[in-house]
């Protein structure tokens, strides 16, 4: 445990937990890769392996497209970024419409969300993904039953790492930032939480734009979301 100390990670003092979506609750890289490569193919550009796409994910779809265009430029290929962004959204929606979804729920997520809900905590998802897509995935995988609020990247607010979407989620949940915890997998999540005044816990998997999540300066790590309830209740126990 790092900066926040036990008090900030105590189920007794917390009222809400905010979660990132991609790379934290859901592994969405396969679908993102498929949509991106279909958009690239329309411009007769080289496709990118899923392993490469994983390191490009972060800060929303505009960030993904920006990094993909830069990657192609290194190889001497020129892409229309605006068209690529537009067509990515088209193909990503089509993947959902055609039920080609390969997204999966990370191990421990279902049990972790259920237990946090049972502890009386309000739960939210704060993502740079469009809200409709986020809600659709949460519903598809049965996670929406525990999620009280979803803030998407198309809300008209700043996207993470700006604190605004986290503060908006806290406002909708009726809690102060000091009563909430952010859980994520990237520097974007950590920066947003710090700026909003929330404690932050990280998972060691996910994307983090290709950097090792274990190097993130968060308050604590959990191997999976399933380990979060134990972390919060351990913080409640008096030290020997």
């Amino acid at each position: 445990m790092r900066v926040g100390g036990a008090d900030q990670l105590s189920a007794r003092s917390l009222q809400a937990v905010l979660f990132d979506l991609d790379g934290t609750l859901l592994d969405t890289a396969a679908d993102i890769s498929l949509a991106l490569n279909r958009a690239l193919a329309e411009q007769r550009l080289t496709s990118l392996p899923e392993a490469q796409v994983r390191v490009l994910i972060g800060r929303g779809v505009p960030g993904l497209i920006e990094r993909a265009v830069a990657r192609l430029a290194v190889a001497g290929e020129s892409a229309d970024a605006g068209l690529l962004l537009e067509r990515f959204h088209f193909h990503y929606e089509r993947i959902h419409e055609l039920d080609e979804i390969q997204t999966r729920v990370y191990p421990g997520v279902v049990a972790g969300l259920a237990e946090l809900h049972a502890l009386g905590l309000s739960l939210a998802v704060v993502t740079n993904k469009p809200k409709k897509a986020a809600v659709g995935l949460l519903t598809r995988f049965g996670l929406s039953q525990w999620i009280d609020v979803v803030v998407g990247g198309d809300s008209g607010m700043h996207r993470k790492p700006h604190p605004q979407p986290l503060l908006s989620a806290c406002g909708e949940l009726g809690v102060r930032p000091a009563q909430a915890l952010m859980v994520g997998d990237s520097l974007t999540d950590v920066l947003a939480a710090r700026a909003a005044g929330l404690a932050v816990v990280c998972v060691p998997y996910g994307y983090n734009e290709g950097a090792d999540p274990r190097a993130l300066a968060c308050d604590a790590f959990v191997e999976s979301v399933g380990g979060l309830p134990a972390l919060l209740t351990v913080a409640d126990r008096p030290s020997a």
Side-chain angles (χ1 to χ4, degrees):
M1 196 175 301
R2 295 187 184 179
V3 180
D7 288 345
Q8 282 188 275
L9 299 179
S10 164
R12 181 181 59 242
S13 59
L14 286 174
Q15 293 188 18
V17 182
L18 282 50
F19 290 93
D20 173 53
L21 185 64
D22 299 68
T24 300
L25 298 181
L26 301 178
D27 185 356
T28 55
D31 294 340
I32 291 171
S33 179
L34 180 58
L36 177 61
N37 281 320
R38 285 178 176 175
L40 290 171
E42 291 177 340
Q43 295 189 41
R44 298 184 178 180
L45 297 166
T46 303
S47 63
L48 299 174
E50 183 181 325
Q52 287 188 26
V53 175
R54 282 181 175 272
V55 306
L56 302 180
I57 297 172
R59 290 177 284 159
V61 178
L64 168 74
I65 298 301
E66 178 184 337
R67 287 187 286 277
V69 168
R71 180 69 61 94
L72 291 166
V74 171
E77 296 188 74
S78 178
D80 182 331
L83 180 59
L84 200 57
L85 177 63
E86 176 186 331
R87 298 303 292 171
F88 173 90
H89 285 300
F90 170 82
H91 288 296
Y92 191 79
E93 289 182 9
R94 287 289 288 168
I95 288 167
H96 287 243
E97 291 169 3
L98 299 174
D99 200 25
E100 297 178 313
I101 295 174
Q102 300 175 58
T103 287
R104 65 183 182 87
V105 182
Y106 283 112
V109 166
V110 170
L113 293 181
E115 192 170 347
L116 291 168
H117 179 77
L119 288 171
L121 294 164
S122 298
L123 306 181
V125 166
V126 182
T127 175
N128 285 337
K129 184 187 291 294
K131 181 175 179 177
K132 179 182 176 182
V135 170
L137 287 171
L138 290 167
T139 302
R140 178 186 181 90
F141 292 107
L143 306 182
S144 58
Q145 62 183 305
W146 299 297
I147 304 299
D148 302 294
V149 167
V150 177
V151 177
D154 57 348
S155 62
M157 295 181 286
H158 294 286
R159 294 185 178 93
K160 297 180 295 181
H162 197 282
Q164 189 177 17
L166 278 68
L167 295 173
S168 176
C170 288
E172 289 192 56
L173 293 172
V175 302
R176 292 181 288 105
Q179 298 171 314
L181 167 70
M182 180 69 197
V183 181
D185 70 305
S186 69
L187 180 60
T188 295
D189 296 316
V190 173
L191 292 175
R194 294 291 183 228
L198 277 68
V200 57
V201 169
C202 292
V203 293
Y205 51 83
Y207 310 134
N208 196 30
E209 300 181 39
D212 184 358
R214 289 189 182 275
L216 293 169
C218 54
D219 296 308
F221 288 92
V222 287
E223 292 302 313
S224 75
V225 171
L228 186 59
L231 174 70
L232 301 182
T233 53
V234 163
D236 284 338
R237 298 172 193 166
S239 54

